[in-house]
Amino acid sequence: MAETLRLSPAICAYPDDTYENLKIEVVLPGVEKENISFKVVEDGFYIRATKEGVEYVDSYAVCCPISPEKATATYSNGVLKVTVPYQQPFEKAMDVKIE
């Protein structure tokens, strides 16, 4: 039985021109869209993608909180492109009752 080669995919993560969104590009040559799993949380993301004989898998931390529920993604020509807005300052701040 052939072994599966496990690799970290080539990743490029950077802010957009307005510094409002994190842009993530993942190079996955030869992988079909249905074989990609991409998960995002406030402080990082995880990618797992497979094709015959190869599994791309890794997790990454991000330095600034992002809003995972607002993430969007496209996949074309072996490149997964994800856009995730940064959280706005105090977006999830809670009011504290003062007695």
Side-chain angles (χ1 to χ4, degrees), residues 36-95:
I36 300 171
S37 173
F38 187 87
K39 299 179 187 287
V40 63
V41 292
E42 290 182 2
D43 60 354
F45 60 93
Y46 169 82
I47 181 78
R48 182 176 181 273
T50 58
K51 67 177 186 177
E52 187 175 336
V54 178
E55 178 181 46
Y56 297 99
V57 61
D58 216 336
S59 60
Y60 303 86
V62 295
C63 65
C64 301
I66 52 179
S67 299
E69 66 280 356
K70 298 177 183 173
T72 59
T74 60
Y75 184 67
S76 179
N77 297 321
V79 179
L80 175 65
K81 294 182 180 183
V82 181
T83 300
V84 188
Y86 289 112
Q87 285 184 16
Q88 295 303 310
F90 303 107
E91 179 178 333
K92 294 194 175 190
M94 301 293 294
D95 285 330

